[in-house]
Amino acid sequence: MCQKENYLATSESVTEGHPDKVADQISDAILDEVLKNDPNARVACETFVSVGLVVIGGEITTDCYVDLPRLVRSVIKDIGYTNPNNGFQYESCAVLNAIGRQSPDIAQGVDTGGAGDQGLMFGYATNETPELMPLPIALSHKLVKSLADVRKSGTLKYLGPDGKSQVTVEYKNGAPARIDSIIIATQHDESVLTQDGKHMTEESKKEIWEKVVLPVVPKELLDKDTKYFVNQTGKFVVGGPQSDTGVTGRKIIVDTYGGAVPHGGGAFSGKDPTKVDRSASYAARHIAKNIVGSGVADKCQVMLSYVIGRAEPTSLAIDTFGTGKISDDKLIELVRKNFDLTPKGIIKTLNLRRPIYRKTAAYGHFGRDEETFTWEKLDRVDVFKKGKVGSLVL
C-alpha cells in the first residue's frame, strides 16, 4: 500500500474472452456443476487453453457425473468464441480430461474441518468508491465489462471476445483527483482497419471512446491532460487462445485489488470453499468491507493465515493505515469474538457450498453488488459501530 499523499496508481483488467479468463471460467463452471449435484464435493480444477485445445486437470472427489466436454464447450460458446476464423471455436476445439481424485493424505486433514492448505490471504476495502474498492481496479473492471456488453449487444459488431483495460489514477492528499491515462486493447475484425491493413481506424477508436469509455468513467475525473490509448500496436485482429495460452489462476491481481495491497499468492477459480485460498480471502474481504462500511476506518487491510489440517487461523492482522477511529488491536479483538474464521465457519456464514462461482471468474471477485456475492454484504457493521466485544454471531 502506497503511503505517500500524492502518487499515481495503476490497475488492469481483462475481458471474459482473455485466454486466462476463459480458463478461469471453465474451472469455475466445472466447480458449479459439481456443487449443484454434490455440495460436499472436493474440487481443485485447473484449465489450460491454446489454439484449438482445452486441457482440464486437477482433483475432483465426488459421486456425481458431469459431462465435462459438453460443459466446457458451452462456456466457450457463452463467452463468444463461435467463429472458426478466430482459431478457437467451441464446436471444433479438442477437450482433454486429466482429472483425478484428491489425495487421501490431504483429505484426512480436511475431513475433520481443517484448512485444505497452508498460506496467507488478504482482504481490503477503501471508501474511495461506492463499492469500497480502489478506484483504478474498479474502473478497469467497468471498462472491460463495457467492452463485452457492446460486443454482445451488437452495438460494436466488429469487436472480438479478447481485450484488456488499464487505468492510472492520480492521487492528491491520499484521494483520487484525476484520471491520468486509460488504455484499451480490444480484439476486432478486419472491417475497421485502415487501407494498408496495419492500423485500426481513428473513427473506430473514437467510437470505442464514446460507447465504451465515457458511459462508465466519471467525467469529472477526466481533463485535457488525460491520455487515451487504443490498440497501440496498431491492430488486434488475432486474439484469444489463437494468440496466447490461458491458464487458471494467472490473473490473481486482476481478481482482487489491482495491486493496491499484497496478495498471498493463492488463486481462486476452480477451488471449492474448503480451500482457504478462496474462502478465507472472501472472509477477509467481508471483514474489511464491514469495518470500512461501518465508518470506523477509511481503509482497511485484513490478513489471515492457515496451516493445512488445522481449523483456526494461525494469524490475524488488521491495518487501517492510520485512518481508524478504533485501534487496530481493538478491531482484531472484535473480529476474533464476532467472526468464526474456521473453514466450516466461513462456509456457513457466507453460504459457500452453492454453485455461485462462475460469475466471479470474470470482472473481479470483489466490489460486486450481486446477491450471491455474500462476502460483499454490509451485514456486520454494527459489530464495529458499537466498538465493543459481543458474543459470537454466525
Side-chain angles (χ1 to χ4, degrees):
M1 165 61 66
C2 183
Q3 295 297 304
K4 293 187 251 183
E5 291 295 301
N6 302 318
Y7 57 95
L8 295 175
T10 302
S11 294
E12 71 160 350
S13 186
V14 298
T15 65
E16 62 200 68
H18 184 280
D20 291 330
K21 280 292 147 199
V22 173
D24 284 343
Q25 289 169 93
I26 290 172
S27 293
D28 271 337
I30 291 171
L31 171 61
D32 280 353
E33 195 66 20
V34 173
L35 289 178
K36 187 186 301 181
N37 296 285
D38 181 4
N40 294 309
R42 301 278 167 72
V43 180
C45 176
E46 303 206 14
T47 304
F48 169 83
V49 300
S50 188
V51 182
L53 176 65
V54 178
V55 180
I56 49 177
E59 301 82 41
I60 298 180
T61 302
T62 183
D63 293 327
C64 75
Y65 170 75
V66 176
D67 186 344
L68 292 174
R70 179 201 59 77
L71 180 61
V72 168
R73 295 183 196 282
S74 70
V75 173
I76 296 169
K77 181 181 180 182
D78 288 347
I79 291 169
Y81 284 106
T82 58
N83 187 343
N85 294 330
N86 284 332
F88 185 77
Q89 197 256 2
Y90 78 100
E91 291 177 306
S92 59
C93 67
V95 179
L96 302 183
N97 181 0
I99 291 176
R101 293 178 68 86
Q102 185 183 59
S103 161
D105 299 342
I106 295 174
Q108 70 180 9
V110 179
D111 290 343
T112 59
D117 202 353
Q118 69 179 47
L120 59 155
M121 302 84 204
F122 289 90
Y124 181 68
T126 171
N127 63 6
E128 65 189 60
T129 62
E131 53 268 68
L132 303 186
M133 288 287 286
L135 182 61
I137 189 66
L139 291 180
S140 295
H141 285 324
K142 289 177 181 178
L143 286 169
V144 288
K145 182 63 165 60
S146 182
L147 272 175
D149 288 344
V150 298
R151 168 177 63 89
K152 289 184 170 182
S153 69
T155 302
L156 299 182
K157 295 181 179 180
Y158 52 80
L159 294 184
D162 198 0
K164 284 184 167 185
S165 67
Q166 185 168 291
V167 177
T168 298
V169 175
E170 182 177 353
Y171 286 72
K172 293 183 179 179
N173 298 318
R178 57 180 294 273
I179 296 173
D180 186 71
S181 66
I182 296 172
I183 299 173
I184 298 288
T186 181
Q187 188 181 14
H188 59 87
D189 63 32
E190 295 182 348
S191 67
V192 290
L193 291 177
T194 54
Q195 286 189 338
D196 62 7
K198 294 182 178 180
H199 299 89
M200 196 177 195
T201 64
E202 291 302 316
E203 180 183 356
S204 57
K205 290 182 180 182
K206 181 181 178 184
E207 196 170 33
I208 289 171
W209 172 259
E210 292 175 346
K211 304 212 181 275
V212 174
V213 177
L214 288 182
V216 300
V217 173
K219 295 179 178 60
E220 65 272 16
L221 295 180
L222 302 173
D223 59 31
K224 61 181 178 60
D225 296 319
T226 299
K227 299 175 284 292
Y228 175 58
F229 305 94
V230 178
N231 291 358
Q232 280 301 105
T233 63
K235 65 177 182 177
F236 186 179
V237 174
V238 179
Q242 183 182 16
S243 64
D244 194 8
T245 59
V247 181
T248 299
R250 203 156 57 178
K251 287 291 181 285
I252 56 177
I253 301 302
V254 171
D255 285 342
T256 54
Y257 307 100
V261 293
H263 193 293
F268 300 159
S269 289
K271 296 178 180 179
D272 75 78
T274 66
K275 279 72 172 175
V276 285
D277 280 336
R278 179 169 225 159
S279 55
S281 294
Y282 291 174
R285 163 65 176 175
H286 186 226
I287 294 167
K289 186 173 183 181
N290 275 271
I291 288 173
V292 173
S294 71
V296 301
D298 294 337
K299 58 182 71 173
C300 178
Q301 174 185 291
V302 176
M303 188 197 77
L304 297 167
S305 66
Y306 292 81
V307 61
I308 191 168
R310 185 177 185 270
E312 294 289 342
T314 55
S315 69
L316 163 64
I318 293 178
D319 188 351
T320 56
F321 308 98
T323 69
K325 299 178 178 65
I326 299 175
S327 72
D328 293 347
D329 287 343
K330 181 67 171 178
L331 289 172
I332 291 172
E333 183 183 5
L334 289 167
V335 170
R336 287 193 185 279
K337 293 292 185 179
N338 290 277
F339 290 81
D340 185 345
L341 295 175
T342 65
K344 284 185 176 179
I346 293 170
I347 289 168
K348 180 179 179 182
T349 300
L350 300 179
N351 196 11
L352 297 180
R353 289 196 185 277
R354 298 180 293 155
I356 60 174
Y357 296 104
R358 184 181 164 189
K359 280 186 178 180
T360 68
Y363 312 118
H365 291 245
F366 308 118
R368 306 276 292 274
D369 184 21
E370 299 176 49
E371 180 63 29
T372 56
F373 287 67
T374 51
W375 49 94
E376 292 295 310
K377 293 183 181 299
L378 292 172
D379 54 358
R380 307 299 296 278
V381 292
D382 285 348
V383 168
F384 305 106
K385 283 182 177 179
K386 293 174 181 176
K388 60 184 179 182
V389 177
S391 59
L392 181 67
V393 179
L394 293 180

